[in-house]
């Protein structure tokens, strides 16, 4: 049995991965209940490709949709705004560093 076949057998015996946390909340508006999909800070960081502390997002003026004992959850519809504010933040940081040298 080759190492690839052994690896496939080993992987087949492993339990399926645990789903990442996602919070779906029903919000009541004038038209009735609306389900809001959220994303965790960890998932948001994975999308951005960086470690993303929730405090950084809060400092940039982005408020979480919900906060639980497990962490902060952000409205999925806010992802473009989050990335825009992060890019502006990092561009300003880069400008500051360039001015130092």
């Amino acid at each position: 049995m080759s190492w690839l076949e052994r690896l496939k057998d080993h992987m087949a015996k492993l339990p399926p991965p645990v789903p990442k946390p996602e919070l779906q909340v029903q919000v009541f508006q004038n038209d009735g209940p609306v389900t809001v999909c959220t994303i965790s800070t960890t998932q948001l960081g994975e999308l951005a490709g960086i470690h993303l502390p929730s405090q950084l997002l809060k400092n940039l003026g982005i408020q979480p949709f919900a906060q639980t004992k497990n962490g902060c959850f952000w409205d999925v519809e806010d992802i473009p705004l989050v990335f825009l504010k992060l890019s502006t933040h990092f561009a300003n940081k880069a400008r500051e560093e360039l001015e130092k040298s």
Side-chain angles (χ1 to χ4, degrees), residues 27-88:
V27 179
F28 290 91
Q29 295 180 343
N30 295 340
D31 301 339
V34 176
T35 301
V36 177
C37 291
T38 62
I39 186 169
S40 70
T41 307
T42 302
Q43 291 170 308
L44 199 51
E46 288 173 358
L47 281 176
I50 58 172
H51 172 70
L52 197 56
S54 60
Q55 192 59 46
L56 173 62
L57 297 174
K58 291 176 186 176
N59 290 344
L60 293 174
I62 306 164
Q63 294 303 314
F65 182 80
Q67 188 163 354
T68 68
K69 65 179 182 178
N70 295 330
C72 293
F73 292 85
W74 312 86
D75 191 337
V76 169
E77 292 182 5
D78 288 344
I79 292 174
L81 172 69
V82 169
F83 287 170
L84 182 62
K85 288 199 173 197
L86 282 172
S87 63
T88 303

Side-chain angles (χ1 to χ4, degrees), residues 8-34:
K8 286 180 182 178
D9 285 345
H10 173 72
M11 295 301 287
K13 294 175 187 173
L14 293 176
V18 177
K20 295 185 177 181
E22 184 176 295
L23 185 66
Q24 290 193 354
V25 181
Q26 279 202 338
V27 179
F28 290 91
Q29 295 180 343
N30 295 340
D31 301 339
V34 176

